[in-house]
Amino acid sequence: MKILVPIKRVPDPDHRIRVDLQRIALELSDVPHIINPFDANALEEAVRIREGPVPDAEIIAIGIGDPAWQQELRTSLAMGADRAIHVGVSGPPDPWNVARILRAITERESPDLVLMGKQAVDDDSNQAGQFVAGLLGWPQATFVSQIEFIPLDPEPSIAGHQLRVARETDTGIETIRLRLPAVITADLRLNEPRYAALPAILKAKRKPIETIPLTELNIELSPRVERIALQEVSSSRKCQYVQSVDELLDQLFLNRCL
Amino acid sequence: MRILAVIEHDGSSPKPGSLAAVGFAQAVAERNGGHVASLVIGHTVAGIAEILTSFGIVYFADSPALANPLADRYAQVIVDAVSRYHADMLVAASSTYAKDIVGRAAGLLGGAMVSDVVAHDWRDGQLLFVRPMHAGMVTETVILHGDPKIVTIRPTAYPQPIAMETQGELFPIAVQDPLPVGMMWEHLESKLGTRPDVTDARIVVAGGRAIADRHDFERLVGGLADCLDGAIASTRALVDAGIAPNSLQVGQTGKIIAPELYIALGISGAVQHLAGMKNSKKVLAINKDPNAPIFDFADYGLVGDVYDVVPELIGKLHEP
């Protein structure tokens, strides 16, 4: 069984993000970058699948971006990916083009499962997983907080596997079953990603990262989303402090809040 | 321009957020002389379709196979409806339903999609969309290339639609046979309870890390909400700790809400949480840490321990 785990490199969300003077790009040179937290959940789950129900699972991390992305791919290898693929592009493409590249890689690698984060915490789009599932015509489960393997055959084989997954929706926890191959997008409560231990980090240095230029995939990027401006958001509120519950209630009633 | 609004529903009526998506569609159509239609998918949804005829023509797909929202089937129906109506734009309210189903449909329709739109504008006849990113610390203005354009809007940013003078026609959509069968429904464990839905409520009471356990969450957050006919909400910290169910999480990766009054109890104000509530009309923060960032995003602040303040507040609200 093969599991493909797309990894996005994102600015550390705990750092303040600034917009440049031209108001078109973010100033990110001094901001540390990390693996998108939801992608870390996806990778952790892939490793747990290999540690649990599917010991022969092969885990392939894939990054789509500039050479700096190799750093996050190296971290993915330390967390447990067996190998990594780096598709070289100058900046992260929009979700549509990410999905097209993932489809092309999926056609090369024939994974049984694409397991990825439900959204990237930089653009917050929440689209790429659904796009790639649609493009491939595969079953999908988004916002997944639990994955269970169900063997179908009396003689359990990977081909016979179905998954039962729990999805976190606005109305509650939804449980569905999926046939493989499928696309799953991970929510934060799927697991707690591990920190790579030193031996794993050292071992990861010997694991391969294959670099694939975009031309080899016969893909020409055609962005669907064009950014024309960026703006920083700041709070316009001025807090009026009250000293007691009585004063608070007076203010709330006076201002027709209650 | 022909705009098709995907309507999410609870089995008996359209969700208010979906009606805001129709409101958005009307605003766009009014500007460029376009037309608006609605699309309802489900089983025994004729009554919901009937309600929506107030806003123009309605397409509906009704089948036992569509009784539950499975993305592969629903997305196929959406693609069929887009083709039937010759839609140039597909809109929906941003929700887990739309992210899942409309997102997949967008993948089948060419991927010209923008999520979580909070404002729009026109430049040289072209639609500009404004949307938050980076947990709401930044907004970006984008244009979409390709058709159809697929847009999800934040319901709190758009008004309810205006009823038309004459009712629209109803068009059933035949369900293609066979529908995809790679996804199978099991069940939904609803955690909504009897309180108002957090996305629709006028007042929302939310609890943060200061709340120690489930009992206190119910007593303080639930207790105050019940005094005010409000909904309850929580930060991610309480959901992760198992104190509150995930359906109550407000924030970047949870629900995005904008009630008349948001009461933050023991919430420090991480940017990821602020992303979900900072467009509330008024914000009241109660926190014992005077330096908590939540106070920068509050209109009223009371520095104090929620374990002291909230019982006193509940007591005084119960006084005649």
Side-chain angles (χ1 to χ4, degrees), chain A residues 95-96 99-100 103 127-137 140 224, chain B residues 75 78-79 90 98-113 148 150:
Chain A
W96 172 247
R100 289 172 69 218
R103 174 178 58 178
Q127 295 173 354
Q130 294 87 314
F131 284 3
V132 77
L135 283 175
L136 292 165
Q140 74 182 41
R224 293 291 192 256
Chain B
I78 291 173
V79 171
L90 184 68
K99 285 171 185 165
D100 186 47
I101 291 164
V102 178
R104 182 180 179 102
L108 298 168
L109 292 166
M113 182 175 186
I150 298 115

PDB file of all heavy atoms in Angstrom, chain A residues 95-96 99-100 103 127-137 140 224, chain B residues 75 78-79 90 98-113 148 150:
ATOM      1  N   PRO A  95      -4.656  26.583  -5.442  1.00  0.00           N
ATOM      2  CA  PRO A  95      -5.136  25.213  -5.173  1.00  0.00           C
ATOM      3  C   PRO A  95      -5.409  24.398  -6.431  1.00  0.00           C
ATOM      4  O   PRO A  95      -5.148  23.197  -6.465  1.00  0.00           O
ATOM      5  CB  PRO A  95      -6.428  25.452  -4.379  1.00  0.00           C
ATOM      6  CG  PRO A  95      -6.223  26.766  -3.698  1.00  0.00           C
ATOM      7  CD  PRO A  95      -5.419  27.592  -4.662  1.00  0.00           C
ATOM      8  N   TRP A  96      -5.916  25.050  -7.471  1.00  0.00           N
ATOM      9  CA  TRP A  96      -6.210  24.324  -8.713  1.00  0.00           C
ATOM     10  C   TRP A  96      -4.946  23.699  -9.293  1.00  0.00           C
ATOM     11  O   TRP A  96      -4.937  22.540  -9.694  1.00  0.00           O
ATOM     12  CB  TRP A  96      -6.854  25.285  -9.721  1.00  0.00           C
ATOM     13  CG  TRP A  96      -7.023  24.719 -11.097  1.00  0.00           C
ATOM     14  CD1 TRP A  96      -6.391  25.100 -12.232  1.00  0.00           C
ATOM     15  CD2 TRP A  96      -7.900  23.640 -11.490  1.00  0.00           C
ATOM     16  NE1 TRP A  96      -6.808  24.351 -13.304  1.00  0.00           N
ATOM     17  CE2 TRP A  96      -7.732  23.443 -12.881  1.00  0.00           C
ATOM     18  CE3 TRP A  96      -8.794  22.822 -10.793  1.00  0.00           C
ATOM     19  CZ2 TRP A  96      -8.430  22.478 -13.584  1.00  0.00           C
ATOM     20  CZ3 TRP A  96      -9.487  21.855 -11.506  1.00  0.00           C
ATOM     21  CH2 TRP A  96      -9.313  21.683 -12.881  1.00  0.00           C
ATOM     22  N   ALA A  99      -3.644  20.885  -7.223  1.00  0.00           N
ATOM     23  CA  ALA A  99      -4.430  19.670  -7.474  1.00  0.00           C
ATOM     24  C   ALA A  99      -4.008  19.021  -8.784  1.00  0.00           C
ATOM     25  O   ALA A  99      -3.926  17.788  -8.873  1.00  0.00           O
ATOM     26  CB  ALA A  99      -5.923  19.997  -7.489  1.00  0.00           C
ATOM     27  N   ARG A 100      -3.733  19.826  -9.817  1.00  0.00           N
ATOM     28  CA  ARG A 100      -3.296  19.254 -11.098  1.00  0.00           C
ATOM     29  C   ARG A 100      -1.955  18.540 -10.937  1.00  0.00           C
ATOM     30  O   ARG A 100      -1.747  17.447 -11.482  1.00  0.00           O
ATOM     31  CB  ARG A 100      -3.174  20.361 -12.146  1.00  0.00           C
ATOM     32  CG  ARG A 100      -4.514  20.919 -12.585  1.00  0.00           C
ATOM     33  CD  ARG A 100      -4.319  22.140 -13.461  1.00  0.00           C
ATOM     34  NE  ARG A 100      -3.744  21.823 -14.754  1.00  0.00           N
ATOM     35  CZ  ARG A 100      -2.849  22.591 -15.393  1.00  0.00           C
ATOM     36  NH1 ARG A 100      -2.410  23.710 -14.839  1.00  0.00           N
ATOM     37  NH2 ARG A 100      -2.392  22.248 -16.574  1.00  0.00           N
ATOM     38  N   ARG A 103      -2.485  15.342  -9.094  1.00  0.00           N
ATOM     39  CA  ARG A 103      -3.061  14.311  -9.973  1.00  0.00           C
ATOM     40  C   ARG A 103      -1.953  13.664 -10.822  1.00  0.00           C
ATOM     41  O   ARG A 103      -1.911  12.440 -10.964  1.00  0.00           O
ATOM     42  CB  ARG A 103      -4.133  14.911 -10.878  1.00  0.00           C
ATOM     43  CG  ARG A 103      -4.648  13.881 -11.900  1.00  0.00           C
ATOM     44  CD  ARG A 103      -5.743  14.411 -12.776  1.00  0.00           C
ATOM     45  NE  ARG A 103      -5.344  15.587 -13.528  1.00  0.00           N
ATOM     46  CZ  ARG A 103      -6.136  16.211 -14.395  1.00  0.00           C
ATOM     47  NH1 ARG A 103      -7.366  15.782 -14.584  1.00  0.00           N
ATOM     48  NH2 ARG A 103      -5.710  17.292 -15.016  1.00  0.00           N
ATOM     49  N   GLN A 127      -9.297  23.893  -0.270  1.00  0.00           N
ATOM     50  CA  GLN A 127      -9.779  23.481  -1.590  1.00  0.00           C
ATOM     51  C   GLN A 127      -9.009  22.310  -2.205  1.00  0.00           C
ATOM     52  O   GLN A 127      -9.610  21.470  -2.884  1.00  0.00           O
ATOM     53  CB  GLN A 127      -9.676  24.669  -2.583  1.00  0.00           C
ATOM     54  CG  GLN A 127     -10.571  25.830  -2.242  1.00  0.00           C
ATOM     55  CD  GLN A 127     -10.321  27.043  -3.124  1.00  0.00           C
ATOM     56  OE1 GLN A 127      -9.393  27.045  -3.935  1.00  0.00           O
ATOM     57  NE2 GLN A 127     -11.132  28.074  -2.965  1.00  0.00           N
ATOM     58  N   ALA A 128      -7.690  22.265  -2.019  1.00  0.00           N
ATOM     59  CA  ALA A 128      -6.847  21.374  -2.839  1.00  0.00           C
ATOM     60  C   ALA A 128      -7.269  19.901  -2.717  1.00  0.00           C
ATOM     61  O   ALA A 128      -7.315  19.191  -3.727  1.00  0.00           O
ATOM     62  CB  ALA A 128      -5.372  21.541  -2.466  1.00  0.00           C
ATOM     63  N   GLY A 129      -7.587  19.431  -1.523  1.00  0.00           N
ATOM     64  CA  GLY A 129      -7.964  18.028  -1.338  1.00  0.00           C
ATOM     65  C   GLY A 129      -9.216  17.666  -2.112  1.00  0.00           C
ATOM     66  O   GLY A 129      -9.283  16.635  -2.796  1.00  0.00           O
ATOM     67  N   GLN A 130     -10.227  18.530  -2.013  1.00  0.00           N
ATOM     68  CA  GLN A 130     -11.486  18.284  -2.723  1.00  0.00           C
ATOM     69  C   GLN A 130     -11.258  18.349  -4.234  1.00  0.00           C
ATOM     70  O   GLN A 130     -11.829  17.571  -4.991  1.00  0.00           O
ATOM     71  CB  GLN A 130     -12.533  19.333  -2.311  1.00  0.00           C
ATOM     72  CG  GLN A 130     -12.982  19.263  -0.860  1.00  0.00           C
ATOM     73  CD  GLN A 130     -12.088  20.050   0.084  1.00  0.00           C
ATOM     74  OE1 GLN A 130     -10.869  19.970   0.022  1.00  0.00           O
ATOM     75  NE2 GLN A 130     -12.688  20.807   0.981  1.00  0.00           N
ATOM     76  N   PHE A 131     -10.427  19.306  -4.680  1.00  0.00           N
ATOM     77  CA  PHE A 131     -10.143  19.416  -6.118  1.00  0.00           C
ATOM     78  C   PHE A 131      -9.505  18.126  -6.633  1.00  0.00           C
ATOM     79  O   PHE A 131      -9.911  17.596  -7.669  1.00  0.00           O
ATOM     80  CB  PHE A 131      -9.161  20.571  -6.396  1.00  0.00           C
ATOM     81  CG  PHE A 131      -9.758  21.951  -6.322  1.00  0.00           C
ATOM     82  CD1 PHE A 131     -11.082  22.164  -5.974  1.00  0.00           C
ATOM     83  CD2 PHE A 131      -8.976  23.060  -6.616  1.00  0.00           C
ATOM     84  CE1 PHE A 131     -11.614  23.456  -5.908  1.00  0.00           C
ATOM     85  CE2 PHE A 131      -9.490  24.343  -6.560  1.00  0.00           C
ATOM     86  CZ  PHE A 131     -10.806  24.550  -6.201  1.00  0.00           C
ATOM     87  N   VAL A 132      -8.491  17.657  -5.920  1.00  0.00           N
ATOM     88  CA  VAL A 132      -7.768  16.490  -6.433  1.00  0.00           C
ATOM     89  C   VAL A 132      -8.669  15.254  -6.402  1.00  0.00           C
ATOM     90  O   VAL A 132      -8.646  14.428  -7.321  1.00  0.00           O
ATOM     91  CB  VAL A 132      -6.407  16.294  -5.714  1.00  0.00           C
ATOM     92  CG1 VAL A 132      -6.554  15.693  -4.344  1.00  0.00           C
ATOM     93  CG2 VAL A 132      -5.480  15.435  -6.553  1.00  0.00           C
ATOM     94  N   ALA A 133      -9.521  15.139  -5.384  1.00  0.00           N
ATOM     95  CA  ALA A 133     -10.468  14.013  -5.339  1.00  0.00           C
ATOM     96  C   ALA A 133     -11.414  14.081  -6.536  1.00  0.00           C
ATOM     97  O   ALA A 133     -11.698  13.062  -7.182  1.00  0.00           O
ATOM     98  CB  ALA A 133     -11.254  14.033  -4.031  1.00  0.00           C
ATOM     99  N   GLY A 134     -11.892  15.286  -6.846  1.00  0.00           N
ATOM    100  CA  GLY A 134     -12.780  15.453  -7.994  1.00  0.00           C
ATOM    101  C   GLY A 134     -12.070  15.130  -9.300  1.00  0.00           C
ATOM    102  O   GLY A 134     -12.602  14.413 -10.146  1.00  0.00           O
ATOM    103  N   LEU A 135     -10.843  15.641  -9.430  1.00  0.00           N
ATOM    104  CA  LEU A 135     -10.079  15.400 -10.666  1.00  0.00           C
ATOM    105  C   LEU A 135      -9.816  13.912 -10.876  1.00  0.00           C
ATOM    106  O   LEU A 135      -9.843  13.422 -12.002  1.00  0.00           O
ATOM    107  CB  LEU A 135      -8.736  16.143 -10.610  1.00  0.00           C
ATOM    108  CG  LEU A 135      -8.776  17.656 -10.855  1.00  0.00           C
ATOM    109  CD1 LEU A 135      -7.386  18.261 -10.637  1.00  0.00           C
ATOM    110  CD2 LEU A 135      -9.251  17.943 -12.271  1.00  0.00           C
ATOM    111  N   LEU A 136      -9.531  13.202  -9.800  1.00  0.00           N
ATOM    112  CA  LEU A 136      -9.233  11.777  -9.911  1.00  0.00           C
ATOM    113  C   LEU A 136     -10.502  10.934  -9.958  1.00  0.00           C
ATOM    114  O   LEU A 136     -10.451   9.744 -10.287  1.00  0.00           O
ATOM    115  CB  LEU A 136      -8.373  11.327  -8.722  1.00  0.00           C
ATOM    116  CG  LEU A 136      -6.942  11.873  -8.654  1.00  0.00           C
ATOM    117  CD1 LEU A 136      -6.354  11.651  -7.262  1.00  0.00           C
ATOM    118  CD2 LEU A 136      -6.069  11.213  -9.715  1.00  0.00           C
ATOM    119  N   GLY A 137     -11.636  11.539  -9.560  1.00  0.00           N
ATOM    120  CA  GLY A 137     -12.866  10.756  -9.448  1.00  0.00           C
ATOM    121  C   GLY A 137     -12.830   9.771  -8.292  1.00  0.00           C
ATOM    122  O   GLY A 137     -13.508   8.753  -8.309  1.00  0.00           O
ATOM    123  N   GLN A 140     -13.860  10.791  -1.336  1.00  0.00           N
ATOM    124  CA  GLN A 140     -13.128  11.733  -0.485  1.00  0.00           C
ATOM    125  C   GLN A 140     -13.748  11.757   0.905  1.00  0.00           C
ATOM    126  O   GLN A 140     -14.943  11.511   1.074  1.00  0.00           O
ATOM    127  CB  GLN A 140     -13.185  13.151  -1.068  1.00  0.00           C
ATOM    128  CG  GLN A 140     -14.536  13.843  -0.897  1.00  0.00           C
ATOM    129  CD  GLN A 140     -14.576  15.224  -1.536  1.00  0.00           C
ATOM    130  OE1 GLN A 140     -14.064  15.436  -2.637  1.00  0.00           O
ATOM    131  NE2 GLN A 140     -15.216  16.176  -0.851  1.00  0.00           N
ATOM    132  N   ARG A 224      -5.855  30.103 -11.581  1.00  0.00           N
ATOM    133  CA  ARG A 224      -7.268  30.455 -11.589  1.00  0.00           C
ATOM    134  C   ARG A 224      -7.532  31.654 -10.678  1.00  0.00           C
ATOM    135  O   ARG A 224      -8.526  32.344 -10.826  1.00  0.00           O
ATOM    136  CB  ARG A 224      -8.107  29.269 -11.093  1.00  0.00           C
ATOM    137  CG  ARG A 224      -8.091  28.088 -12.021  1.00  0.00           C
ATOM    138  CD  ARG A 224      -8.850  28.438 -13.284  1.00  0.00           C
ATOM    139  NE  ARG A 224      -9.101  27.246 -14.077  1.00  0.00           N
ATOM    140  CZ  ARG A 224      -8.430  26.926 -15.175  1.00  0.00           C
ATOM    141  NH1 ARG A 224      -7.454  27.707 -15.597  1.00  0.00           N
ATOM    142  NH2 ARG A 224      -8.736  25.837 -15.847  1.00  0.00           N
TER     143      ARG A 224
ATOM    144  N   ALA B  75     -21.700  16.334  -5.605  1.00  0.00           N
ATOM    145  CA  ALA B  75     -20.913  17.142  -6.539  1.00  0.00           C
ATOM    146  C   ALA B  75     -21.342  16.840  -7.974  1.00  0.00           C
ATOM    147  O   ALA B  75     -21.423  17.741  -8.811  1.00  0.00           O
ATOM    148  CB  ALA B  75     -19.421  16.861  -6.351  1.00  0.00           C
ATOM    149  N   ILE B  78     -24.436  18.748  -8.666  1.00  0.00           N
ATOM    150  CA  ILE B  78     -24.135  20.179  -8.849  1.00  0.00           C
ATOM    151  C   ILE B  78     -23.604  20.433 -10.260  1.00  0.00           C
ATOM    152  O   ILE B  78     -24.028  21.372 -10.936  1.00  0.00           O
ATOM    153  CB  ILE B  78     -23.128  20.664  -7.780  1.00  0.00           C
ATOM    154  CG1 ILE B  78     -23.797  20.682  -6.407  1.00  0.00           C
ATOM    155  CG2 ILE B  78     -22.586  22.059  -8.128  1.00  0.00           C
ATOM    156  CD1 ILE B  78     -22.856  20.973  -5.247  1.00  0.00           C
ATOM    157  N   VAL B  79     -22.704  19.562 -10.712  1.00  0.00           N
ATOM    158  CA  VAL B  79     -22.151  19.726 -12.062  1.00  0.00           C
ATOM    159  C   VAL B  79     -23.273  19.633 -13.106  1.00  0.00           C
ATOM    160  O   VAL B  79     -23.340  20.434 -14.041  1.00  0.00           O
ATOM    161  CB  VAL B  79     -21.054  18.665 -12.322  1.00  0.00           C
ATOM    162  CG1 VAL B  79     -20.631  18.666 -13.783  1.00  0.00           C
ATOM    163  CG2 VAL B  79     -19.849  18.933 -11.425  1.00  0.00           C
ATOM    164  N   LEU B  90     -21.228  29.830  -9.478  1.00  0.00           N
ATOM    165  CA  LEU B  90     -21.842  28.942  -8.491  1.00  0.00           C
ATOM    166  C   LEU B  90     -21.516  29.535  -7.123  1.00  0.00           C
ATOM    167  O   LEU B  90     -20.352  29.829  -6.851  1.00  0.00           O
ATOM    168  CB  LEU B  90     -21.214  27.551  -8.648  1.00  0.00           C
ATOM    169  CG  LEU B  90     -21.730  26.402  -7.811  1.00  0.00           C
ATOM    170  CD1 LEU B  90     -23.153  26.044  -8.223  1.00  0.00           C
ATOM    171  CD2 LEU B  90     -20.826  25.185  -7.991  1.00  0.00           C
ATOM    172  N   ALA B  98     -20.343  23.064   2.350  1.00  0.00           N
ATOM    173  CA  ALA B  98     -19.925  23.666   1.082  1.00  0.00           C
ATOM    174  C   ALA B  98     -18.451  23.383   0.799  1.00  0.00           C
ATOM    175  O   ALA B  98     -18.066  23.107  -0.340  1.00  0.00           O
ATOM    176  CB  ALA B  98     -20.186  25.165   1.104  1.00  0.00           C
ATOM    177  N   LYS B  99     -17.617  23.451   1.831  1.00  0.00           N
ATOM    178  CA  LYS B  99     -16.197  23.185   1.614  1.00  0.00           C
ATOM    179  C   LYS B  99     -16.019  21.791   1.026  1.00  0.00           C
ATOM    180  O   LYS B  99     -15.221  21.574   0.118  1.00  0.00           O
ATOM    181  CB  LYS B  99     -15.424  23.293   2.928  1.00  0.00           C
ATOM    182  CG  LYS B  99     -15.229  24.735   3.383  1.00  0.00           C
ATOM    183  CD  LYS B  99     -14.665  24.803   4.784  1.00  0.00           C
ATOM    184  CE  LYS B  99     -14.592  26.243   5.250  1.00  0.00           C
ATOM    185  NZ  LYS B  99     -14.398  26.345   6.701  1.00  0.00           N
ATOM    186  N   ASP B 100     -16.773  20.833   1.557  1.00  0.00           N
ATOM    187  CA  ASP B 100     -16.657  19.448   1.134  1.00  0.00           C
ATOM    188  C   ASP B 100     -17.235  19.252  -0.265  1.00  0.00           C
ATOM    189  O   ASP B 100     -16.543  18.782  -1.174  1.00  0.00           O
ATOM    190  CB  ASP B 100     -17.415  18.575   2.146  1.00  0.00           C
ATOM    191  CG  ASP B 100     -17.242  17.086   1.898  1.00  0.00           C
ATOM    192  OD1 ASP B 100     -16.097  16.664   1.699  1.00  0.00           O
ATOM    193  OD2 ASP B 100     -18.253  16.361   1.920  1.00  0.00           O
ATOM    194  N   ILE B 101     -18.499  19.632  -0.436  1.00  0.00           N
ATOM    195  CA  ILE B 101     -19.258  19.251  -1.635  1.00  0.00           C
ATOM    196  C   ILE B 101     -19.018  20.240  -2.777  1.00  0.00           C
ATOM    197  O   ILE B 101     -18.718  19.831  -3.897  1.00  0.00           O
ATOM    198  CB  ILE B 101     -20.756  19.169  -1.265  1.00  0.00           C
ATOM    199  CG1 ILE B 101     -20.968  17.963  -0.349  1.00  0.00           C
ATOM    200  CG2 ILE B 101     -21.620  19.108  -2.518  1.00  0.00           C
ATOM    201  CD1 ILE B 101     -22.270  17.968   0.388  1.00  0.00           C
ATOM    202  N   VAL B 102     -19.157  21.525  -2.492  1.00  0.00           N
ATOM    203  CA  VAL B 102     -18.952  22.523  -3.545  1.00  0.00           C
ATOM    204  C   VAL B 102     -17.473  22.545  -3.951  1.00  0.00           C
ATOM    205  O   VAL B 102     -17.145  22.748  -5.113  1.00  0.00           O
ATOM    206  CB  VAL B 102     -19.459  23.911  -3.093  1.00  0.00           C
ATOM    207  CG1 VAL B 102     -19.211  24.960  -4.172  1.00  0.00           C
ATOM    208  CG2 VAL B 102     -20.946  23.842  -2.761  1.00  0.00           C
ATOM    209  N   GLY B 103     -16.592  22.301  -2.981  1.00  0.00           N
ATOM    210  CA  GLY B 103     -15.160  22.219  -3.295  1.00  0.00           C
ATOM    211  C   GLY B 103     -14.881  21.106  -4.299  1.00  0.00           C
ATOM    212  O   GLY B 103     -14.148  21.294  -5.262  1.00  0.00           O
ATOM    213  N   ARG B 104     -15.488  19.950  -4.082  1.00  0.00           N
ATOM    214  CA  ARG B 104     -15.302  18.842  -5.035  1.00  0.00           C
ATOM    215  C   ARG B 104     -15.893  19.201  -6.398  1.00  0.00           C
ATOM    216  O   ARG B 104     -15.268  18.954  -7.436  1.00  0.00           O
ATOM    217  CB  ARG B 104     -15.941  17.565  -4.497  1.00  0.00           C
ATOM    218  CG  ARG B 104     -15.730  16.376  -5.416  1.00  0.00           C
ATOM    219  CD  ARG B 104     -16.390  15.123  -4.855  1.00  0.00           C
ATOM    220  NE  ARG B 104     -16.222  13.991  -5.744  1.00  0.00           N
ATOM    221  CZ  ARG B 104     -15.334  13.013  -5.570  1.00  0.00           C
ATOM    222  NH1 ARG B 104     -14.517  13.048  -4.546  1.00  0.00           N
ATOM    223  NH2 ARG B 104     -15.270  12.003  -6.416  1.00  0.00           N
ATOM    224  N   ALA B 105     -17.106  19.789  -6.380  1.00  0.00           N
ATOM    225  CA  ALA B 105     -17.729  20.197  -7.647  1.00  0.00           C
ATOM    226  C   ALA B 105     -16.799  21.171  -8.378  1.00  0.00           C
ATOM    227  O   ALA B 105     -16.632  21.090  -9.598  1.00  0.00           O
ATOM    228  CB  ALA B 105     -19.090  20.829  -7.390  1.00  0.00           C
ATOM    229  N   ALA B 106     -16.172  22.078  -7.637  1.00  0.00           N
ATOM    230  CA  ALA B 106     -15.269  23.060  -8.253  1.00  0.00           C
ATOM    231  C   ALA B 106     -14.095  22.360  -8.932  1.00  0.00           C
ATOM    232  O   ALA B 106     -13.635  22.785  -9.987  1.00  0.00           O
ATOM    233  CB  ALA B 106     -14.768  24.040  -7.194  1.00  0.00           C
ATOM    234  N   GLY B 107     -13.622  21.274  -8.336  1.00  0.00           N
ATOM    235  CA  GLY B 107     -12.554  20.496  -8.941  1.00  0.00           C
ATOM    236  C   GLY B 107     -12.999  19.889 -10.275  1.00  0.00           C
ATOM    237  O   GLY B 107     -12.199  19.719 -11.186  1.00  0.00           O
ATOM    238  N   LEU B 108     -14.298  19.575 -10.382  1.00  0.00           N
ATOM    239  CA  LEU B 108     -14.840  19.006 -11.626  1.00  0.00           C
ATOM    240  C   LEU B 108     -15.162  20.093 -12.648  1.00  0.00           C
ATOM    241  O   LEU B 108     -15.377  19.812 -13.813  1.00  0.00           O
ATOM    242  CB  LEU B 108     -16.120  18.210 -11.312  1.00  0.00           C
ATOM    243  CG  LEU B 108     -15.947  17.014 -10.374  1.00  0.00           C
ATOM    244  CD1 LEU B 108     -17.304  16.498  -9.898  1.00  0.00           C
ATOM    245  CD2 LEU B 108     -15.181  15.897 -11.069  1.00  0.00           C
ATOM    246  N   LEU B 109     -15.226  21.345 -12.156  1.00  0.00           N
ATOM    247  CA  LEU B 109     -15.660  22.459 -13.016  1.00  0.00           C
ATOM    248  C   LEU B 109     -14.520  23.403 -13.367  1.00  0.00           C
ATOM    249  O   LEU B 109     -14.753  24.518 -13.818  1.00  0.00           O
ATOM    250  CB  LEU B 109     -16.786  23.244 -12.318  1.00  0.00           C
ATOM    251  CG  LEU B 109     -18.128  22.521 -12.157  1.00  0.00           C
ATOM    252  CD1 LEU B 109     -19.036  23.257 -11.168  1.00  0.00           C
ATOM    253  CD2 LEU B 109     -18.833  22.374 -13.502  1.00  0.00           C
ATOM    254  N   GLY B 110     -13.283  23.013 -13.120  1.00  0.00           N
ATOM    255  CA  GLY B 110     -12.170  23.820 -13.596  1.00  0.00           C
ATOM    256  C   GLY B 110     -11.451  24.646 -12.546  1.00  0.00           C
ATOM    257  O   GLY B 110     -10.464  25.308 -12.851  1.00  0.00           O
ATOM    258  N   GLY B 111     -11.931  24.619 -11.308  1.00  0.00           N
ATOM    259  CA  GLY B 111     -11.134  25.136 -10.191  1.00  0.00           C
ATOM    260  C   GLY B 111     -11.014  26.645 -10.041  1.00  0.00           C
ATOM    261  O   GLY B 111     -10.166  27.110  -9.286  1.00  0.00           O
ATOM    262  N   ALA B 112     -11.868  27.427 -10.731  1.00  0.00           N
ATOM    263  CA  ALA B 112     -11.815  28.883 -10.533  1.00  0.00           C
ATOM    264  C   ALA B 112     -12.630  29.242  -9.299  1.00  0.00           C
ATOM    265  O   ALA B 112     -13.749  29.718  -9.391  1.00  0.00           O
ATOM    266  CB  ALA B 112     -12.334  29.604 -11.766  1.00  0.00           C
ATOM    267  N   MET B 113     -12.053  28.987  -8.123  1.00  0.00           N
ATOM    268  CA  MET B 113     -12.815  29.081  -6.881  1.00  0.00           C
ATOM    269  C   MET B 113     -12.170  30.025  -5.886  1.00  0.00           C
ATOM    270  O   MET B 113     -10.947  30.038  -5.735  1.00  0.00           O
ATOM    271  CB  MET B 113     -12.934  27.696  -6.245  1.00  0.00           C
ATOM    272  CG  MET B 113     -13.749  27.695  -4.958  1.00  0.00           C
ATOM    273  SD  MET B 113     -13.971  26.021  -4.317  1.00  0.00           S
ATOM    274  CE  MET B 113     -15.081  26.339  -2.951  1.00  0.00           C
ATOM    275  N   PRO B 148     -17.057  28.051 -14.977  1.00  0.00           N
ATOM    276  CA  PRO B 148     -17.763  28.958 -14.089  1.00  0.00           C
ATOM    277  C   PRO B 148     -16.905  29.371 -12.902  1.00  0.00           C
ATOM    278  O   PRO B 148     -15.969  28.671 -12.530  1.00  0.00           O
ATOM    279  CB  PRO B 148     -18.949  28.107 -13.609  1.00  0.00           C
ATOM    280  CG  PRO B 148     -18.434  26.701 -13.647  1.00  0.00           C
ATOM    281  CD  PRO B 148     -17.519  26.651 -14.829  1.00  0.00           C
ATOM    282  N   ILE B 150     -16.563  29.892  -8.954  1.00  0.00           N
ATOM    283  CA  ILE B 150     -17.183  29.251  -7.794  1.00  0.00           C
ATOM    284  C   ILE B 150     -16.803  30.060  -6.560  1.00  0.00           C
ATOM    285  O   ILE B 150     -15.617  30.315  -6.321  1.00  0.00           O
ATOM    286  CB  ILE B 150     -16.739  27.782  -7.666  1.00  0.00           C
ATOM    287  CG1 ILE B 150     -17.194  27.003  -8.914  1.00  0.00           C
ATOM    288  CG2 ILE B 150     -17.333  27.138  -6.428  1.00  0.00           C
ATOM    289  CD1 ILE B 150     -16.106  26.494  -9.761  1.00  0.00           C
TER     290      ILE B 150
END
